[in-house]
Amino acid sequence: MPYTDGFKSEMVKRMVGPGAVSAAALARQVGVSQPTLSQWLREANKLAAMTPPPEEKKPAVPAALKQRTPEEKLRVLVAAQGLTGEALGALLRGEGLHEEKLQEWRQAAAGALGGASTQALPAKERRRLAAAEKRVKELERELRRKEKVLAETAALLVLERKLQAMGWDERELGDEDDAADEKHEK
């Protein structure tokens, strides 16, 4: 069944405009299949990518500097889901975003939903991570041991300098120890 350009345009506006609705939800509302709605959205994004925006429609504040609400970020993430190439580029231009910002939002959303857990890692990566953590613990233990030995050595050096400042000499200490040993043996 052929649809008018006006109807197609209205459906695309409902999928990307304020209070955007997903293609699946809109399909349930209007009775048009979700793949058809998605196709209209892709076509509209291609057209938007080819048409330069009129000068009078430029926002006063650059969209990239605009603080976005979590709802706006989620709307953009949903709209970008499954888009690639020119269609994604058109969406990002329309939203005034760079792809890096979209990736940042995706990572934040995944982290908020528990996507940052170690269970999400492949088994090989989990083993590598566990081995690295074990190695770090061993190195920390070795570092603490060496710091302790270094502190003891420093204390002995300070003590030796104090004894030398008081006029004690290692040779004298050695001679006194020998004399004390000889007295003890008798």
Side-chain angles (χ1 to χ4, degrees):
M1 165 169 136
Y3 296 98
T4 65
D5 290 339
F7 180 76
K8 291 179 184 179
S9 177
E10 184 62 33
M11 295 301 106
V12 169
K13 285 180 187 174
R14 289 181 65 184
M15 287 187 284
V16 296
V21 178
S22 71
L26 188 58
R28 286 189 296 273
Q29 291 174 7
V30 296
V32 177
S33 72
Q34 181 269 325
T36 301
L37 292 170
S38 295
Q39 178 64 34
W40 293 348
L41 180 60
R42 284 191 295 274
E43 289 171 0
N45 284 332
K46 285 181 185 177
L47 286 175
M50 290 187 251
T51 309
E55 292 301 316
E56 70 269 6
K57 287 190 177 180
K58 288 195 176 183
V61 175
L65 299 177
K66 177 183 168 190
Q67 290 293 332
R68 299 191 185 245
T69 65
E71 291 81 13
E72 290 173 320
K73 291 177 183 180
L74 184 59
R75 180 188 54 79
V76 173
L77 286 172
V78 169
Q81 186 65 31
L83 297 180
T84 59
E86 293 177 12
L88 179 60
L91 175 70
L92 292 173
R93 280 189 297 280
E95 294 291 338
L97 292 171
H98 290 281
E99 193 167 356
E100 292 81 22
K101 184 57 80 174
L102 185 67
Q103 291 298 335
E104 183 181 309
W105 291 353
R106 281 182 178 152
Q107 289 173 349
L113 295 173
S117 74
T118 56
Q119 295 300 344
L121 295 174
K124 183 178 179 181
E125 287 297 310
R126 284 196 308 268
R127 283 192 301 272
R128 191 181 65 75
L129 182 60
E133 288 173 350
K134 182 179 178 183
R135 179 75 174 136
V136 166
K137 286 181 182 178
E138 289 172 1
L139 291 172
E140 287 173 344
R141 194 170 25 254
E142 182 71 13
L143 179 62
R144 283 191 300 272
R145 186 188 67 78
K146 288 183 178 182
E147 285 175 343
K148 184 178 177 183
V149 169
L150 182 62
E152 289 173 1
T153 304
L156 288 173
L157 287 173
V158 168
L159 182 60
E160 183 180 11
R161 286 192 188 123
K162 286 184 178 181
L163 288 174
Q164 287 174 352
M166 292 172 58
W168 291 58
D169 188 18
E170 281 185 34
R171 284 172 279 156
E172 290 176 9
L173 287 174
D175 293 342
E176 290 175 7
D177 287 344
D178 290 342
D181 288 342
E182 287 175 12
K183 277 185 181 179
H184 219 29
E185 289 175 3
K186 291 184 182 179

